[in-house]
Amino acid sequence: MSVAPGDLVQLSEPDYQYGTGPLRLRITRVRFDLSTWYDGRWVWLEGIEIRVDDQDGRLRQVLVRVSALPKPEA
């Protein structure tokens, strides 16, 4: 997993919890403290939802499947 505050991630509905439909999220915080409970499979992200009109939406907290996030570059 290679995400940090400021990154924009695009998630499909099966790849995150607590929402419906696709989600674009500009990350403001990666919650490693809570993520340890999910055996490295899921990570808590906080961020600003980016709406379909490319404007900032609401603050979101989502549990994201690690396999759906960008991989670190080698």
Side-chain angles (χ1 to χ4, degrees):
M1 172 185 70
S2 179
V3 294
D7 289 350
L8 179 67
V9 294
Q10 296 188 43
L11 303 166
S12 60
E13 185 174 337
D15 292 326
Y16 74 101
Q17 299 288 320
Y18 314 116
T20 57
L23 173 66
R24 290 191 306 156
L25 188 74
R26 186 177 339 100
I27 299 170
T28 57
R29 184 176 180 196
V30 180
R31 296 288 311 267
F32 291 110
D33 57 328
L34 294 176
S35 301
T36 58
W37 293 98
Y38 299 95
D39 295 325
R41 294 186 193 118
W42 295 83
V43 63
W44 276 101
L45 299 178
E46 294 179 2
I48 303 296
E49 181 177 1
I50 306 300
R51 301 186 317 226
V52 295
D53 63 0
D54 290 328
Q55 298 299 307
D56 287 356
R58 64 187 175 116
L59 178 65
R60 296 283 303 266
Q61 296 181 23
V62 293
L63 188 59
V64 176
R65 191 182 309 272
V66 169
S67 61
L69 296 172
K71 308 294 183 265
E73 293 183 21

